[in-house]
Amino acid sequence: GIDKEVMQSYQAIGIIHLFSLSGFHVNYLLKLLKKTLLRIGVLREYYDWVALGVLGIYGTILGWPYGMFRAVGVYVLVFIQRRRKKRPHLLESTCGVMLAHLLFKPQALFSLGFQLTYALSLGLFFVSQARDQWKNWQLTLGNALTCTLITLPFLIQTYASFNLLMVFANYFYAWLFTVILFPCLLLLAFGYWLGLGWMLSPLRGLVALGIQTTEAISQEMITWEIFHVIIGYLPGILVLVLVLGIGQWIDSFILRKNCRRTSLLLLGLLGALYAWPSLRPIGQVAMLNVGQGDCLMFQAPYSSRAYLIDACGLPSFPKEAWQERPIESLASREITPTLRRQGIRSLAGIFLTHGDIDHYGSIPELLKVWSVDNLYLPIGMKENTKVLRILKEGLKASKNPKIQVHWLGKGQQLILDKGQKVEVLMPDHIGQGKNEDSLALYAHLGQKTYLFTGDIGGEAERKMVDNLRRKKVDVLKVAHHGSDYSSP
């Protein structure tokens, strides 16, 4: 029942694993059950059987999520080992449950929840070996650091980013969930089940306030951009190096050996990850997979910035109330995740070709989410008051209050970056932002030349031909999505 935006904020600050590590609340329930049964006179010999029944019912009610399956499975194996007079072994039990899980549901391997619950439980198992060597606060901090580091490769490969507040968030939220929220929620659940809700109304109000405050803090933390680091897609070899570095740090933490040196090496590795988007020597030009509409991106070598040409949007049509359903925007579903996976941290500029929604619809949202330095508009849409009004509202909410707006017309030239030069071929007149008024760009990007044409029509293309006779075009973006009205 957690709100989608709140869950996204938990993911962004790196505590999503708290919702995957179900052994946390399973162990809590078992301890509570054990104390209760022993107090009412149930013998220890019967406790495990009662616990197995309770866990079976509880897991069935929850639908057996990955973390729940792991926690209950490990408990069952430990129970069997005890009944056979063998010493319980958590590591072997966890590995056995994981193999059984993959045997019955092999596709679980590709789920972030599955990956996190087993990786974290194994990591915490190894850290627990240092229990006798560290003080309680040191071990708690070590657990928080371990959870953060183990989560890091999964977050980078899934979301292409991580938050520097992860250690603090792990330490604080793990304490908050364990000491305050979870016990209070359990008390409320049992109280209402027993019909004592009228006595617990003040506690319910305090818990609700606590949860709302926690969610507000999480959503506020994700606005602190200075702590949010976009890494982009990492090659497999770099992921392996990161995993080995994290493993080495955990090993040195457990053995209390060379901690300072391994910590410095790990910090150096994280610094290299931060610099990674600016270390790639090859630029790129790409068309984003957005369905109906246009959104093209070009990025210079050794840069974490990029330019977009158009930013598609979804058209809206009148609907009955029963037909309404939440639809994720193209910006949040396609454009933003793609840019992050390419290691892009800001947009140097967005070019808008004309006034159709499948070309400009996502620009207001992108201006709000991304720091954009420049917005380039064609003079061919200067008289389109509807689109200009929408863009004006988007600029008011822009993440970069110093964004510059430029009007482009035939003959203008722009030097965007090293090895990036753009010449404006069309429009040659002020217009309403229709297809014939589209912005057409001839671009030198690296070693190749590109012709970007928007939705320009056949007549406008013929006007443009004379300017192209002596120009070489390596790559043509076909106008108007390949329509019969263009590229005769």
Side-chain angles (χ1 to χ4, degrees):
I2 299 176
D3 184 77
K4 181 181 178 181
E5 291 185 359
V6 174
M7 186 60 82
Q8 288 176 340
S9 69
Y10 288 150
Q11 165 245 306
I13 61 177
I15 62 166
I16 195 71
H17 63 274
L18 289 177
F19 302 92
S20 301
L21 203 62
S22 293
F24 155 68
H25 66 269
V26 169
N27 289 331
Y28 197 98
L29 281 172
L30 289 174
K31 289 180 181 179
L32 183 64
L33 180 65
K34 188 173 185 178
K35 288 182 180 179
T36 303
L37 292 177
L38 292 178
R39 281 189 176 275
I40 63 176
V42 176
L43 297 177
R44 291 178 181 272
E45 288 78 6
Y46 300 118
Y47 162 71
D48 281 332
W49 294 103
V50 176
L52 286 175
V54 170
L55 289 178
I57 295 171
Y58 186 51
T60 303
I61 291 173
L62 293 182
W64 294 104
Y66 297 128
M68 187 74 194
F69 185 92
R70 176 195 58 76
V72 175
V74 170
Y75 186 85
V76 170
L77 290 181
V78 168
F79 169 74
I80 293 173
Q81 290 168 354
R82 284 175 179 161
R83 299 294 293 184
R84 298 177 66 181
K85 308 299 182 183
K86 292 185 177 181
R87 182 182 177 185
H89 201 296
L90 287 176
L91 179 59
E92 291 180 359
S93 300
T94 302
C95 293
V97 172
M98 182 174 66
L99 291 174
H101 207 154
L102 290 174
L103 180 64
F104 289 104
K105 196 174 183 180
Q107 67 271 26
L109 182 63
F110 302 101
S111 166
L112 181 62
F114 176 91
Q115 296 166 1
L116 285 177
T117 192
Y118 285 100
L120 287 164
S121 60
L122 291 171
L124 291 175
F125 168 80
F126 288 114
V127 173
S128 68
Q129 309 304 304
R131 190 177 302 276
D132 297 331
Q133 305 176 43
W134 297 98
K135 297 178 181 178
N136 285 337
W137 71 268
Q138 292 174 318
L139 191 61
T140 303
L141 181 59
N143 284 338
L145 283 168
T146 301
C147 287
T148 299
L149 292 172
I150 290 176
T151 305
L152 192 59
F154 296 100
L155 291 180
I156 290 176
Q157 289 304 95
T158 304
Y159 302 112
S161 62
F162 69 92
N163 198 295
L164 294 175
L165 294 173
M166 286 172 64
V167 175
F168 164 77
N170 273 286
Y171 191 91
F172 171 71
Y173 281 96
W175 172 84
L176 182 69
F177 281 26
T178 306
V179 178
I180 299 178
L181 288 182
F182 195 71
C184 289
L185 289 170
L186 268 183
L187 179 60
L188 286 172
F190 282 111
Y192 275 86
W193 180 61
L194 295 172
L196 302 175
W198 59 274
M199 295 177 58
L200 298 172
S201 293
L203 178 61
R204 183 182 64 178
L206 288 173
V207 171
L209 179 62
I211 292 175
Q212 291 169 355
T213 303
T214 302
E215 294 177 347
I217 292 173
S218 303
Q219 292 181 298
E220 175 64 24
M221 287 169 68
I222 65 173
T223 64
W224 302 342
E225 290 295 325
I226 190 173
F227 297 108
H228 187 66
V229 181
I230 295 174
I231 298 297
Y233 174 78
L234 290 179
I237 186 65
L238 290 184
V239 176
L240 178 61
V241 171
L242 177 60
V243 170
L244 292 175
I246 292 171
Q248 181 64 34
W249 182 88
I250 293 174
D251 183 61
S252 67
F253 175 81
I254 294 170
L255 299 176
R256 300 189 69 174
K257 184 179 179 181
N258 297 325
C259 283
R260 182 177 298 178
R261 186 174 67 181
T262 54
S263 296
L264 289 174
L265 288 173
L266 186 58
L267 286 174
L269 182 58
L270 294 177
L273 288 179
Y274 177 81
W276 170 249
S278 300
L279 297 177
R280 290 178 293 186
I282 300 175
Q284 61 176 327
V285 179
M287 176 176 283
L288 277 61
N289 181 16
V290 294
Q292 171 63 37
D294 275 4
C295 187
L296 298 103
M297 174 199 75
F298 56 93
Q299 181 182 18
Y302 303 106
S303 177
S304 61
R305 290 154 51 85
Y307 290 86
L308 293 182
I309 300 178
D310 285 328
C312 60
L314 293 171
S316 58
F317 303 99
K319 294 180 180 179
E320 298 289 340
W322 63 270
Q323 294 176 308
E324 293 290 344
R325 59 189 179 94
I327 299 177
E328 193 174 13
S329 69
L330 284 172
S332 61
R333 190 179 75 216
E334 299 290 348
I335 301 176
T336 290
T338 301
L339 295 180
R340 284 181 175 172
R341 286 190 176 92
Q342 301 306 313
I344 293 168
R345 293 174 178 153
S346 65
L347 292 171
I350 300 178
F351 291 85
L352 174 57
T353 59
H354 66 296
D356 285 353
I357 194 169
D358 60 342
H359 289 254
Y360 80 84
S362 294
I363 288 183
E365 184 175 348
L366 291 176
L367 293 176
K368 187 177 180 180
V369 174
W370 290 85
S371 176
V372 182
D373 293 340
N374 300 282
L375 180 61
Y376 299 96
L377 305 175
I379 60 172
M381 59 173 290
K382 266 195 172 183
E383 296 179 353
N384 191 323
T385 55
K386 176 186 174 182
V387 175
L388 293 181
R389 184 172 63 252
I390 293 173
L391 294 178
K392 186 177 180 180
E393 292 299 318
L395 289 169
K396 286 181 180 179
S398 173
K399 189 172 182 179
N400 179 12
K402 297 181 180 180
I403 185 173
Q404 300 293 313
V405 178
H406 309 269
W407 289 97
L408 302 180
K410 179 181 177 181
Q412 288 181 262
Q413 293 190 359
L414 303 172
I415 305 297
L416 303 179
D417 206 334
K418 184 178 180 181
Q420 293 186 327
K421 177 183 175 183
V422 171
E423 180 183 347
V424 181
L425 301 180
M426 296 292 286
D428 56 3
H429 60 277
I430 294 175
Q432 296 284 338
K434 297 180 179 180
N435 291 343
E436 291 290 322
D437 305 321
S438 289
L439 179 69
L441 301 173
Y442 180 72
H444 294 264
L445 305 176
Q447 302 299 315
K448 294 186 179 296
T449 56
Y450 298 78
L451 181 59
F452 302 107
T453 54
D455 279 0
I456 199 169
E459 183 179 346
E461 285 181 321
R462 282 187 284 272
K463 290 181 182 179
M464 196 172 58
V465 166
D466 289 339
N467 293 330
L468 287 171
R469 293 194 184 280
R470 296 184 181 180
K471 297 182 186 293
K472 174 187 176 184
V473 177
D474 295 309
V475 179
L476 168 67
K477 184 270 175 188
V478 177
H480 204 181
H481 324 285
S483 150
D484 287 344
Y485 300 101
S486 299
S487 303

